[in-house]
Amino acid sequence: MNMVSVSYLNPLSEEGRNIVRGLGGLDEIFDHNDDLMDIVIHTNRQTISNQEVVPETLVDLAVNRIKWYIERKNNKEFNPNDYAYFFNERITEYDTIAFHILAQAIANKFRPGSREVKLFIESQGLMIEDRLTKLPFNEKKEVVDEILSELLIQDGIEWSFLKDLVATKKLSLTDLVLQNGEIVLDREEFVYSFGDKFADRVPERIYDILIGDNLRALILTKLLMQNAENYIKSIQDQLALVEMHPAIVELGERLDKVIDETLSKYSTFYASGGAYGNMEIGKLVREAFPPCIANTVAGVSSGGRNDAIVLLLTSFVSYARLYPGIFGSDRTVKVSDIDTNLNITLNEILPLIYEAADNCTPPLFEDQPQEKINIISKLGFGMHEEVNLENEGETKWYTPMSCEKIKMHLPQLCKENKDCAKINNPLSYYSRKKWLLSKSGELRPSDKSGDSD
């Protein structure tokens, strides 16, 4: 049996690029493709009753790569047979083309660091992982060795070669065996370097435990994800000089719609919020702010300014506007998961925080301009002066302080009223107060909910 094609795992290989060069023209990516359909229909266990999952064109195949990833990650009733064709090695040629046109469409339509770019990179990583898992052991070992030797031509691999992966936590240094700063991946090299260290154990067996094929497959997957990310960047760097083909532009528009529709099925941001109905995302309602927040917005005198604005207000306003149901959730979220283009953050959240900072005595940024960076950090965008998607994840989105912590650290702001009874967090107060205002008819219809754009 022939070994699986290299481009089945690495569409950016020379073999993969040659496949793309052989494509007649981009106009045909929307054409019905009988050969592709034949491969799909004759894939073992493939669902063919659901027309939505059967690709008739190369564009369908490209779009389905992303749909597969979102469903695979989020759908608890995900049926692998819906997308079995992705794991039929006969799909390689068409799938390689799908990868390239998908990358071009995403690079053209969406900005660097966007949710869509991340989906593309992560989907490629999971596709490689799943494909490796389904390959017979010897075939997997052979193709991993071949691709790694292509990617890592040099004799020694400095650990710093993977520093981007380590920095982004895609790989941990504890996963690596190092010798003089170089990664040991080769069995013979391991036995030669460390064989005399194991008096009572077979060094080959230790290699299998410490390094073995799993680590090699992991490093291969992460390197190919990195290459996919670099590929997107290289396309975006050329956009100012090259006009994208109309077919790729059209694919980008379709992806925009499909990604939104597919992700919206699994959004938990409109969390069902217990006693007070749905804690819906909506415009901020200042009348529903608890006393501590209202007092902070009105202005804080020197002494508690920093904590009041940076820790208390920033977290409260951002979650109250974007994700009031955070404490009823068991998932980790980022601002861009909800505010995908950061329009709300830039136009509603930050202006309110900055307004409160200006209301301080003296104005907070007048003598402590660095606190702007700390505010950005508390929103999860790292230690930078501006909110930027590319920096998201460098820090965590800080969750709101509890009433107990506010009483301890900012007692001057905590002026309890009757609505504070049995409340343990400002967000709970806000959700309950909004519910009460709505019930009594005091809440304007536009305040009850709002777009998350």
Side-chain angles (χ1 to χ4, degrees):
M1 189 176 109
N2 291 332
M3 188 187 83
V4 61
S5 166
V6 163
S7 48
Y8 180 62
L9 296 174
N10 183 15
L12 289 167
S13 62
E14 191 54 38
E15 175 189 283
R17 291 176 188 274
N18 284 335
I19 289 171
V20 176
R21 289 184 195 111
L23 180 67
L26 283 169
D27 290 319
E28 67 186 61
I29 64 175
F30 283 93
D31 294 347
H32 190 281
N33 190 314
D34 289 329
D35 190 34
L36 170 63
M37 289 279 288
D38 184 66
I39 292 168
V40 171
I41 290 165
H42 291 97
T43 295
N44 285 344
R45 295 185 296 280
Q46 172 62 43
T47 308
I48 51 175
S49 55
N50 181 358
Q51 286 302 305
E52 269 191 43
V53 298
V54 176
E56 297 182 7
T57 67
L58 286 167
V59 162
D60 290 343
L61 189 63
V63 170
N64 284 6
R65 264 179 153 261
I66 296 291
K67 281 169 72 175
W68 164 81
Y69 175 70
I70 296 172
E71 296 284 347
R72 166 87 168 70
K73 290 283 284 185
N74 296 285
N75 187 352
K76 290 183 173 64
E77 295 171 11
F78 175 74
N79 181 0
N81 295 345
D82 285 348
Y83 297 95
Y85 53 82
F86 277 125
F87 305 95
N88 177 351
E89 293 162 31
R90 287 180 60 213
I91 201 85
T92 298
E93 191 173 315
Y94 294 119
D95 183 63
T96 299
I97 295 167
F99 169 90
H100 281 265
I101 61 175
L102 181 62
Q104 289 174 32
I106 284 177
N108 182 62
K109 173 70 180 172
F110 307 102
R111 57 184 171 182
S114 65
R115 170 187 69 174
E116 292 77 10
V117 167
K118 288 173 185 170
L119 277 175
F120 170 74
I121 296 160
E122 288 166 6
S123 67
Q124 178 61 0
L126 190 59
M127 182 73 78
I128 294 162
E129 278 178 39
D130 280 8
R131 284 178 171 174
L132 284 171
T133 302
K134 294 178 196 310
L135 285 176
F137 177 78
N138 285 337
E139 206 173 338
K140 170 182 170 179
K141 181 173 168 45
E142 206 174 324
V143 73
V144 167
D145 287 351
E146 181 171 345
I147 298 173
L148 269 180
S149 64
E150 269 183 22
L151 293 173
L152 308 170
I153 297 161
Q154 64 269 52
D155 293 331
I157 312 158
E158 293 287 329
W159 79 266
S160 55
F161 182 77
L162 295 174
K163 68 179 185 298
D164 289 346
L165 299 178
V166 175
T168 53
K169 298 186 173 61
K170 290 175 183 168
L171 187 70
S172 168
L173 271 179
T174 56
D175 293 330
L176 306 173
V177 173
L178 303 176
Q179 165 85 331
N180 301 326
E182 291 186 351
I183 301 162
V184 179
L185 283 178
D186 184 75
R187 179 190 288 264
E188 287 178 18
E189 185 188 346
F190 179 86
V191 172
Y192 175 78
S193 300
F194 302 107
D196 59 349
K197 305 278 194 297
F198 309 107
D200 55 344
R201 302 184 74 175
V202 180
E204 285 83 356
R205 178 71 187 123
I206 301 294
Y207 170 88
D208 289 335
I209 294 168
L210 290 179
I211 302 171
D213 299 303
N214 287 339
L215 180 60
R216 291 168 67 79
L218 170 71
I219 289 178
L220 173 70
T221 303
K222 301 313 179 190
L223 283 171
L224 292 177
M225 285 175 75
Q226 195 75 51
N227 287 355
E229 191 170 346
N230 293 342
Y231 183 48
I232 289 276
K233 282 179 184 162
S234 70
I235 297 168
Q236 288 175 329
D237 288 344
Q238 294 168 34
L239 285 175
L241 308 170
V242 181
E243 190 171 344
M244 199 57 85
H245 191 284
I248 297 294
V249 175
E250 192 178 333
L251 171 55
E253 295 299 329
R254 182 164 156 191
L255 276 167
D256 194 15
K257 190 177 173 192
V258 167
I259 289 171
D260 269 349
E261 284 174 0
T262 314
L263 278 176
S264 67
K265 289 195 290 184
Y266 305 107
S267 174
T268 58
F269 302 122
Y270 294 82
S272 56
Y276 312 121
N278 284 343
M279 294 200 251
E280 292 182 339
I281 299 169
K283 301 287 184 185
L284 287 164
V285 180
R286 295 198 186 203
E287 298 89 335
F289 285 178
C292 54
I293 299 299
N295 292 334
T296 302
V297 172
V300 182
S301 59
S302 59
R305 289 180 307 159
N306 307 54
D307 284 355
I309 301 295
V310 176
L311 298 181
L312 175 61
L313 188 66
T314 299
S315 57
F316 171 84
V317 169
S318 55
Y319 278 98
R321 178 62 181 89
L322 297 175
Y323 196 14
I326 176 62
F327 292 120
S329 166
D330 60 357
R331 62 183 291 183
T332 304
V333 293
K334 302 189 298 294
V335 166
S336 69
D337 289 334
I338 307 144
D339 184 15
T340 53
N341 296 312
L342 304 184
N343 290 337
I344 299 171
T345 305
L346 294 168
N347 299 317
E348 297 180 45
I349 293 168
L350 285 172
L352 178 53
I353 296 166
Y354 293 163
E355 174 196 325
D358 283 341
N359 289 340
C360 289
T361 313
L364 181 61
F365 303 140
E366 210 169 81
D367 59 338
Q368 301 201 40
Q370 79 283 358
E371 291 297 13
K372 267 196 179 180
I373 294 172
N374 289 329
I375 287 166
I376 303 300
S377 166
K378 291 295 179 280
L379 291 171
F381 293 91
M383 301 297 287
H384 301 278
E385 293 189 3
E386 291 181 5
V387 165
N388 190 317
L389 276 170
E390 289 187 43
N391 304 325
E392 191 171 29
E394 289 180 14
T395 49
K396 283 190 176 175
W397 185 9
Y398 192 84
T399 46
M401 295 168 82
S402 65
C403 294
E404 192 180 339
K405 281 191 177 174
I406 296 166
K407 284 174 187 170
M408 194 184 304
H409 298 294
L410 296 163
Q412 74 276 24
L413 296 175
C414 179
K415 309 291 183 194
E416 291 187 59
N417 62 21
K418 61 180 175 58
D419 292 317
C420 291
K422 295 182 180 174
I423 293 290
N424 58 16
N425 190 283
L427 266 189
S428 306
Y429 179 107
Y430 179 71
S431 294
R432 181 174 185 276
K433 188 70 173 177
K434 262 181 81 173
W435 177 74
L436 289 170
L437 290 170
S438 178
K439 201 176 168 195
S440 66
E442 295 175 61
L443 202 59
R444 298 186 303 277
S446 62
D447 291 332
K448 290 181 184 178
S449 63
D451 296 331
S452 56
D453 297 327

